[in-house]
Amino acid sequence: MTDTPHENDSTTMHGCPVTDSRGQVVIHVDRERYVAVMRALVDEGYAMCVDLTAVDYLDYMDRPLPDGVVGERFEVVVNLLDIANRRRIRARVQVPATEPALPTLFDLHPGTEAMEREVFDMFGIAFTDHPDPSRILMPEDWIGHPLRKDYEVGAIPVQFKGAPS
Amino acid sequence: MTMIADEGAQELRPRSELTAREVMREVGAVLRMSEAEAAQLGDLPDDPDEDQTMVINMGPSHPSTHGVLRLMLELQGETVLRCKPIIGYLHTGMEKTGEQLTFMQGGTNVTRMDYASPLNNELVFAMATEKLLGIDGDIPERAQWMRMLLSELNRMSSHLLFMATNGMDLGAVSMMIYGWREREEVLRFFQKVTGLRMNHNFVRPGGLAADLPAGWRDDVLRILDMLPERLEEYDILMTGQPIWRERLQGVGVITPTEALALGATGPILRSTGVEWDLRRDQPYLHYDEVEFDVVVGTYGDAFDRYAIRLNEIRESMRIVRQILDRMPEGDYRIQDKKVTPPPRARIDESMEALIHHFKIFTEGFKVPEGEVYVAIESPRGEIGCYIASDGSPTPYRMHMRAPSFVNIQCLPHMMRGGLVADAVAVISSVDPVLGEVDR
């Protein structure tokens, strides 16, 4: 799979559609097989997880996606790196708004610990079996998830715990 | 004596609540152990009772935490048993702000993340935008070499800042002044080129904001002539000095397996002996046309990380000399009406130019739909920019993969079993910039 697939090609990898985004390889993984595909990619050489983030597509549900992939509100984006072969791959996982949860990648890539906490903090996507599912950037008692598109900026008065009222 | 934690789950939990999974988080999982094996591993040393240990807070406002990093340390005597970094004190929602600013304005936002290497932040943002626009192959030669020049000088200034703070943290107070003195020379050059010492917003999508000023070559040469001698002074002051070596050698050791599993990049990964430098291994700009060595360590300790940064300054100087020889004449930005504002002189004489200028600065330019991830080598490791665009002039989502944010996860592994006095040396050797950790 070293050839760069093109937008129109019906390439697949581990049964998941693979597209080309400006020359970068993107694999669209479904939620059920998320960990299994990630594990297979590790075996293929993509042993390092450099980045894990998410996008809230609430205002942009009609984004282009390959056939067979149903766009959901959230998308978790995982960037993997294969140091030995100097290549990258990006996985996009659709996460529905009704059940914003994904299994954690912690056992596979311990470095995702902080990144998954950040995604939980900012988007409210829960990572099941995460060893420390707490907020990381916002205060523990914060209400809402700031990077969601329906989060009203400035609508919540800033209230620090223990401040004189 | 255990301090009562009052901020809930974010803090270090009491020892009595320590689960096998949490032990695994600290040691086991990084070595890809099973949960059962990790549980057997127990704790260091000899699994003490809770009343024999003490939880102390270091930071968030502590001079050696490089900003507002807070560490909760569980100590037995002087030995660090567990450590948990608590971050977020500098969180200002820059990724959210990035969704409000146009691609034109985005540089002002990202440059403030890693404030010790602002030009690298701008560069990765500009490169991601250009990739989305499809103009990444059309950037003029001079712009690319200028970007490399600024990026390398910024690497030097950032590593000089590290020399200063690392020296200060370990008690070599005069080093603090020396490091800042040299860094100031580089910043003075930045001020001459960009107008500002920091937060330049100079690298823009399509090229740069302005051409290099007259006499820039002499200024760079002056820096290059001044530095080697000063770096040799650092060698005398620190590298060969027994106290310095005692404080750093064997402190904060991390193995290549651990570093790769934790996603650590930059000098931390290279200190373990893994040769990985995006400038050489996934070249961008014209890094494949210049000669330089990737400096790697052997032991993965704080001394290796110090030595790597010191020698990376020398390698950057080597690259800068080659850039001076190769710098072509030409345009410093792409002449694409879509992204480039018209020249200032045209505005006075042409109505169309005025309208064009006004539209580009008020509305920005539309960027085609799509999503890209672009990564470059910042002084701290891989800095990546993920942009999803919905076709409007503002990014739909702008995410920065901040190297410090990921690297900071190494702290518990580096500190485990070490002395509390070495904690400062370990934090310093990771060289986190809290502005990009919290964003």
Side-chain angles (χ1 to χ4, degrees), chain B residues 386-399:
Chain B
Y386 178 75
I387 299 183
S389 171
D390 59 352
S392 69
T394 57
Y396 187 76
R397 165 102 170 96
M398 193 273 297
H399 168 73

Side-chain angles (χ1 to χ4, degrees), chain A residues 21-22 24 26 47-60 62-64 75 77 79 81-83 86-88 90 92 104 106-115 117-118 122-123 129-132 134-140 146-149 151 153 161, chain B residues 6-10 13 21 24-25 29-30 32 84-85 87-89 91 95-96 99-100 131-134 259-265 269 274 276 278 280-282 368-375 382 386 388-391 395-397 399 401 405-406 409 437-439:
Chain A
S21 174
R22 310 287 201 279
Q24 301 175 337
V26 182
M48 192 170 174
C49 176
V50 283
D51 191 29
L52 187 147
T53 185
V55 188
D56 177 5
Y57 278 110
L58 181 67
D59 303 334
Y60 183 34
D62 54 346
R63 63 195 182 277
E75 211 172 78
V77 183
N79 277 290
L81 177 64
D82 179 353
I83 282 192
R86 301 179 181 181
R87 54 186 183 162
R88 288 172 190 274
R90 183 161 66 243
R92 289 169 68 179
T104 178
F106 174 71
D107 296 314
L108 211 51
H109 299 288
T112 57
E113 199 242 337
M115 307 172 197
R117 276 178 73 191
E118 191 193 355
M122 293 293 145
F123 292 92
D129 285 337
H130 189 281
D132 184 14
S134 56
R135 284 179 181 271
I136 188 164
L137 295 176
M138 305 301 285
E140 189 56 40
L147 280 180
R148 286 191 174 191
K149 289 286 175 182
Y151 180 87
V153 183
K161 196 178 349 180
Chain B
D6 68 342
E7 274 187 41
Q10 276 178 356
R13 269 168 282 180
R21 199 169 165 79
M24 188 168 86
R25 178 160 71 91
V30 179
R32 308 237 155 107
K84 185 173 181 188
I87 60 173
Y89 294 95
H91 177 63
E95 291 186 0
K96 188 83 174 171
E99 293 171 7
Q100 320 294 323
K131 207 168 187 62
L132 276 170
L133 283 163
L260 287 170
L262 287 168
T265 46
L269 182 60
V274 180
W276 182 255
L278 292 176
R280 190 198 63 180
D281 295 309
Q282 293 191 328
E369 289 180 294
E371 39 105 52
V372 287
Y373 176 82
V374 175
E382 170 175 330
Y386 178 75
S389 171
D390 59 352
Y396 187 76
R397 165 102 170 96
H399 168 73
R401 187 265 186 205
F405 178 73
V406 187
Q409 295 186 88
V437 172
D438 295 340
R439 278 161 290 141

